[in-house]
Amino acid sequence: MTSSTQSFSTRTFELTTGHHEAAVDLTSRCETFLAEVAPGRDGLLNVFVPHATAGIAVIETGAGSDSDLLAQLRELLPADDRWRHRHGSPGHGRDHVLPGLVAPHATLPVIGGRMALGTWQSVVLVDTNVDNPVRTVRLSFLGG
């Protein structure tokens, strides 16, 4: 039996999503992080957004799926006055429900220093909150 030493690396960065709903592809930022902290190593990458009104999804991008996701979220969570949470823009309460549907984190396998994503999968920040245009994302790698 061999033993390996586990290590943990973490980093945050900010990005601006603007004052409109957004699905922002984070895949290249994740890849750059792993190239720096985990070259050739196996482990887990956790992507976390420490906000009560945003989430992380693993979806296809560039073929309309990201726009479809935002459109479906608008149907499921309309920006109207039905929400009890009422500060901010009209309908802002829906933004606080979003993380119940799109979790604020994703944990992905890392093999040989690269995310083991499917062919069409990307890591995406989902943000429906038009009141908070700046988001923080935390990337953490745990591996051997």
Side-chain angles (χ1 to χ4, degrees), residues 36-66:
E36 293 172 9
V37 304
R41 296 169 55 204
D42 296 344
L44 296 171
L45 172 68
N46 181 264
V47 184
F48 176 69
V49 57
H51 297 280
T53 58
I56 301 294
V58 179
I59 62 169
E60 179 180 10
T61 59
S65 296
D66 41 352

Side-chain angles (χ1 to χ4, degrees), residues 16-50:
T16 300
T17 56
H19 292 287
H20 57 289
E21 297 173 340
V24 181
D25 192 337
L26 304 177
T27 308
S28 64
R29 298 286 291 260
C30 294
E31 290 169 343
T32 299
F33 172 71
L34 289 172
E36 293 172 9
V37 304
R41 296 169 55 204
D42 296 344
L44 296 171
L45 172 68
N46 181 264
V47 184
F48 176 69
V49 57

Side-chain angles (χ1 to χ4, degrees), residues 77-83 85 87-96:
L77 305 171
D80 59 22
D81 64 357
R82 74 183 68 201
W83 308 101
H85 188 108
H87 73 86
S89 296
H92 174 65
R94 78 181 190 123
D95 301 322
H96 287 274

Side-chain angles (χ1 to χ4, degrees), residues 6 35 59 117 122:
Q6 296 291 311
I59 62 169
L117 292 172
S122 297

